[in-house]
Structures are given as C-alpha cells and as structure tokens.
Amino acid sequence: MRQFLCYTYAISSSFGYSCREDFVYFAEICFKSFGDRIKNWITMNEPNLLVDMSYIRGFYPPAHCSPPFGNCSAGNSDIEPPIAMHNMILGHAKAVKLYRELFQLKQGGSIGIVGFTEYFEPLRDNEFDRQAVSRALAFTNAWLFDPLVYGDYPAEMRLYLGSALPIFSPEEINYVKGSLDFIGMNFYTSLYAKDCIHSACISGWDRPIRGFVYTTGERDGEPIGGRCGNPRFFVVPEGMEKIVSYMKERYSNMPMFVTENGFSPPQQNDQVQALRQDTNRVDFHKSYLAALARAIRNGADVRGYFVWSLIDNFEWIDGYSQQFGLYYVDRQTLERVPKLSAKWYKKFLANGTTDHSNEEDFTTRSFGNTKATILGSEASKAAI
C-alpha cells in the first residue's frame, strides 16, 4: 500500500493568534483538496528545532535572539521561544480538532506531528549529570510532545522556566491533550549532557531556557561517535534504540514513525568519488536499523522508517554543503547518480541480504513480522 505524508507549514515572526487561524484555514484547504488521496497528515516538521534555531540562536528566519546566545537586531532568547512554541502547539491542535470533527471519519486518515529528537548521555558519571540528561530530554523532546499527549508542558520546564512558560486554558487543554494519532521522530544523533546548576558552564547554557544543561558531542577531546558533516551530529547507533524506548515509555507506546534518519559525511578531498562510494552511509543505516529493530523486538510500536534523503539537496542555511542523499546530484548537469547506499537500500527494501556479516539478518527476523513498514526516502516528504 502506497503511503503519503503531507507536511503543512506556517511560520511567522510571532506565530500569534491570527497566524494560528491562518494555519488552520490553510490546513482545511489541504484536507478538502487532498484528503481523498492523503491518509497520513503531519501538521508541522520540527517546531522544537525551529524554536531553537529561530528564537534562541537566531540562525533561521525571523532571526530573533539576544546575548549571550547571539547578536540579532531583535528578539529575546529567554522569553520568545516558549511563546513561539506555545502558538505552534495551539495551531497544530486546532488543525487536528478541525480534521477530526469534519474530515477524519469520512477520509479515514490519521494526523500527527514531527519533532526533532535527540538522546543524551551523562558527560560525567555523577548524579548531577544524570539529572541533566533528564532535563535535556524534557527540554528537547518532551517540550513538544508532552502537551500534545498530556495537555501540559513537562514538570522540569515548569520548575525552571516558571512564569515564562505559557499556561494552557481549560478550553485549550480540551483540544491540545491527545491531539496526536502518531508520533513522528526525526533522529540523527546522541550528545553528552552536563549539569549547569552545580557546575560552571559556557555562557548561554547556564540559563533556564536551556534547562541549565550544557550539551556537547565530545568528552575529554573524544567524540561520542563517528563524525558527520554537521558538527553537532555523531554516529551513535545505540541512541536510536534508546530514544525509541524513551518515547515508548513516556507516551505509553503510542504509534511512532522514524520520519528522518540519515548521514552526511565530513568533507573529503576526493569528494565526488567518496560521495558515490559511500560505505560510511551504508554502515550508518545498517547500524541504526539494527538498533531500531532491537527496540521493535522489545515492543516499541514503530510503524515506519524513512531515510533522509533521496538526493543531495538544499539543507537550510547549510545549502548544498551537506550531502544526506542516496543519490549524488551533479549541480552543473542536474544528473542524479545512485550512490552505493542507494543500491544497498534497494536490496534491503526487497529483503535482500544485508551483506553485513557482523550483524544478524535483522531484515526478516525483526521487521518481517512486525507492523513496521520500512519505506524509501522518495516517499518521506511528499509535500504540498
């Protein structure tokens, strides 16, 4: 059965009441126009990452930030992020309410949201850093998903942000709580977490908006995993099993999709040849899929997995410097050339051998008898 995922986007500098209503109006047009074909809807992609990059760091539009996080022309990194997130959550929940009341029964679809997820390990073997891990998970992952499942923000956020964290009205709780049919997870990496309440930290990480947690990919000069093209991404396969297990436990094993998972290699001298013979990407997906299979065997209700991405494409402010694709694109001719990973993944989807003697044949043992559908990247972002 062919599957579709529709992403609907609405981003503005404030994402206030009027923009929420505009978003719901836009979503209604999508439901009316495409609901006979699209059966799996995603309202927003990575609102939690957008808040971080747009309203804390100020890297993405509308580029709002304040010292010590950045030197933008406008913004307050301590105050604006919770407001922006709050309004996006309300926009999502209103769109879901509309879909369920007017379209879902007739069209027979489902609706959810996608969050940027990370897993964390304690930087030091002490209780303070283990508590920092809990806060990092809450401020990164649960900030988005807790309200949509339980109707309120994580207790860790309430404790440290206080009045800076908005309150849901009783009416809002009625349509925010439970406004998910499934959880979408974009997952790439794990990081270390260090407590900044009882320890000195780099300026900016020792703030309530960060949960008083410093996150890093290195400990004593050693990376947590293999390096990637993105300096904040590392190859940590066991993180896939841990993040899925975390979401399973925190949200009572709600249906999950891994909506993005992929690898961009560090820059190399013989770039074109290295990109095409991408054994590092093949190893990445083998190891992450094996970790995902372990989580599924332990009961996680994972319904699908999507490779990011089909081709080397435009990656936000990184442009074409990051190559996540299974296909290399010649920017002069626009020719698409399958990499080694594309050929391997084609065989994997056809239940061919994994050609990986050090791993069990997880293709048939772990995915063949589960609800999970392992899908190609070409279906991963069917957008309107």
Side-chain angles (χ1 to χ4, degrees):
M1 180 181 68
R2 189 176 182 185
Q3 300 219 12
F4 297 85
L5 291 175
C6 178
Y7 287 77
T8 54
Y9 290 92
I11 300 171
S12 76
S13 60
S14 60
F15 210 104
Y17 176 80
S18 62
C19 194
R20 294 201 308 261
E21 298 306 308
D22 288 344
F23 177 72
V24 175
Y25 176 67
F26 169 64
E28 183 177 13
I29 293 174
C30 292
F31 300 147
K32 286 180 178 178
S33 302
F34 308 107
D36 60 329
R37 286 156 286 167
I38 294 174
K39 300 305 177 185
N40 297 284
W41 295 87
I42 291 172
T43 56
M44 299 177 194
N45 182 52
E46 299 182 338
N48 51 341
L49 181 64
L50 174 70
V51 164
D52 187 353
M53 300 299 283
S54 299
Y55 294 95
I56 298 179
R57 303 173 194 255
F59 292 161
Y60 293 174
H64 279 205
C65 69
S66 59
F69 302 97
N71 293 300
C72 303
S73 60
N76 186 319
S77 298
D78 293 303
I79 300 299
E80 285 190 348
I83 298 172
M85 177 67 94
H86 192 73
N87 282 297
M88 284 191 283
I89 286 172
L90 291 174
H92 157 85
K94 282 195 169 186
V96 172
K97 182 175 183 290
L98 174 74
Y99 181 68
R100 287 176 171 172
E101 290 178 350
L102 301 182
F103 300 98
Q104 190 169 39
L105 182 61
K106 179 180 179 180
Q107 296 178 354
S110 62
I111 191 165
I113 199 168
V114 167
F116 176 77
T117 61
E118 291 177 306
Y119 198 77
F120 301 92
E121 302 286 355
L123 181 65
R124 302 163 299 182
D125 185 19
N126 62 44
E127 184 59 29
F128 292 141
D129 282 7
R130 284 188 283 274
Q131 292 175 6
V133 166
S134 178
R135 296 199 302 277
L137 289 166
F139 275 71
T140 301
N141 308 312
W143 188 0
L144 172 63
F145 291 112
D146 266 28
L148 304 181
V149 176
Y150 300 118
D152 200 4
Y153 295 108
E156 299 94 330
M157 298 192 75
R158 286 276 176 221
L159 176 62
Y160 292 104
L161 289 178
S163 61
L165 197 62
I167 302 291
F168 292 105
S169 70
E171 178 187 0
E172 290 168 344
I173 292 173
N174 284 337
Y175 63 83
V176 169
K177 183 178 180 179
S179 58
L180 288 177
D181 294 329
F182 61 85
I183 287 172
M185 303 164 50
N186 293 350
F187 181 76
Y188 294 87
T189 192
S190 297
L191 297 170
Y192 291 119
K194 176 189 175 185
D195 169 70
C196 296
I197 298 174
H198 304 90
S199 305
C201 287
I202 297 173
S203 181
W205 297 97
D206 54 349
R207 304 286 278 263
I209 194 63
R210 290 296 191 198
F212 297 102
V213 178
Y214 168 64
T215 61
T216 177
E218 294 187 4
R219 178 167 60 191
D220 299 327
E222 292 296 322
I224 191 172
R227 295 190 182 275
C228 304
N230 186 316
R232 287 280 289 183
F233 286 3
F234 299 85
V235 181
V236 189
E238 58 269 26
M240 173 68 86
E241 180 180 6
K242 291 180 179 181
I243 190 63
V244 170
S245 299
Y246 168 82
M247 301 294 278
K248 169 193 168 187
E249 296 301 321
R250 192 170 185 110
Y251 302 115
S252 301
N253 206 15
M254 178 177 289
M256 291 175 274
F257 289 84
V258 177
T259 39
E260 283 184 23
N261 178 236
F263 174 80
S264 176
Q267 296 294 313
Q268 303 175 57
N269 292 331
D270 189 5
Q271 191 66 7
V272 174
Q273 182 63 20
L275 281 171
R276 294 183 181 182
Q277 299 300 316
D278 57 342
T279 55
N280 46 13
R281 180 174 290 104
V282 173
D283 290 340
F284 175 95
H285 284 294
K286 286 178 179 176
S287 59
Y288 273 69
L289 281 166
L292 179 59
R294 291 194 295 271
I296 292 173
R297 287 200 301 271
N298 288 328
D301 189 2
V302 179
R303 305 291 180 91
Y305 171 91
F306 299 82
V307 171
W308 185 255
S309 64
L310 174 65
I311 63 174
D312 292 334
N313 56 14
F314 192 83
E315 293 286 341
W316 289 80
I317 59 175
D318 292 319
Y320 296 109
S321 66
Q322 301 288 319
Q323 292 95 9
F324 283 92
L326 301 180
Y327 282 74
Y328 168 77
V329 178
D330 187 317
R331 297 299 164 195
Q332 300 302 316
T333 66
L334 300 185
E335 179 187 8
R336 299 179 181 182
V337 180
K339 302 176 186 177
L340 179 66
S341 59
K343 299 171 185 178
W344 171 82
Y345 197 56
K346 181 179 180 180
K347 291 181 181 179
F348 174 81
L349 293 177
N351 285 332
T353 61
T354 62
D355 190 28
H356 197 34
S357 58
N358 294 327
E359 291 279 2
E360 65 176 305
D361 184 2
F362 59 85
T363 306
T364 55
R365 293 185 185 179
S366 301
F367 291 112
N369 297 316
T370 70
K371 297 179 181 179
T373 303
I374 312 303
L375 301 176
S377 60
E378 61 269 25
S380 67
K381 280 203 172 183
I384 291 176

